[in-house]
Amino acid sequence: MSPNARIVLLALASLVLLPGAAAVIAGLPPFGSTIAQYGERINAVAPEARHVANMVSAINFDLRGLDTLGEEFMLLAAITGTVVLLRGRRGEGNTERAMRRPGRAVIPRSEAVVLACRIAGPLTALFGLYVVLHATVTPGGGFQGGVILASGTLLIYLGEGYAGWRDAIRSHWLDALEGGGALLFALCGLAPMLTGAAFMQNILPLGTFRDLFSGGLMLVENLGVALAVTGGFTQLFLEFMEETREAREPEEPGEESA
């Protein structure tokens, strides 16, 4: 499809979708208006029933945890599909050398950029861990914290270059984080059934309200989400960066047999 055809298609799609989007936005309640009855009920029940102060985490990891499990595997399927598509074009090999396109100057990183990234990188990772750990106490959790942690890895790339980034980021580690996190979330649903409880029933001690370790099983589910999101998004960064790498040199005749 030509660039002009893409622009025409985008314009037609916008004409179709924008009126619907405008109608939905116009139908939203005014800012600061009374919350819906469902929200009021959650606010009244969840703090006492689950000892958590973050109602969003109570909904995501307990009251509608089965839906969140489905969302988790949707993310896993989307990232897996992207990785398979990209690797299908270039193969399984990963490189550590940046492509050098003819006629394009390679601009070195300034000392200011390197210093800023070396300072901001650890701080971003620390903040991501804070968001993950306080999922049941303050706004945030595994989804948000996982994205922050994954974004922090890009600062390593911006400050240290691709070779330095690849020294710290390993593809098989990311696969284990992503798949292991999704598996941990699924086990949080299956493990209670071994005790005779319902699927994803909260069977662990709930802890103290507004305490870091409150929420029982929600803490484990939140950890699984954090691992999967961190590994999945960083894996996407890795695969897209590999698209700009220089292809491996062809093997010499007889090298494979040797």
Side-chain angles (χ1 to χ4, degrees), residues 167-178:
D167 286 339
I169 304 298
R170 301 295 180 180
S171 180
H172 59 278
W173 294 353
L174 302 177
D175 293 338
L177 282 177
E178 183 185 6

Side-chain angles (χ1 to χ4, degrees), residues 5-37:
R6 293 176 186 271
I7 294 175
V8 172
L9 183 60
L10 174 62
L12 293 175
S14 299
L15 290 175
V16 174
L17 297 176
L18 285 179
V24 171
I25 294 173
L28 292 174
F31 181 78
S33 60
T34 304
I35 61 176
Q37 183 177 1

Side-chain angles (χ1 to χ4, degrees), residues 42-57:
I42 294 297
N43 288 337
V45 172
E48 181 179 357
R50 293 295 181 264
H51 297 188
V52 296
N54 183 5
M55 298 302 102
V56 176
S57 289

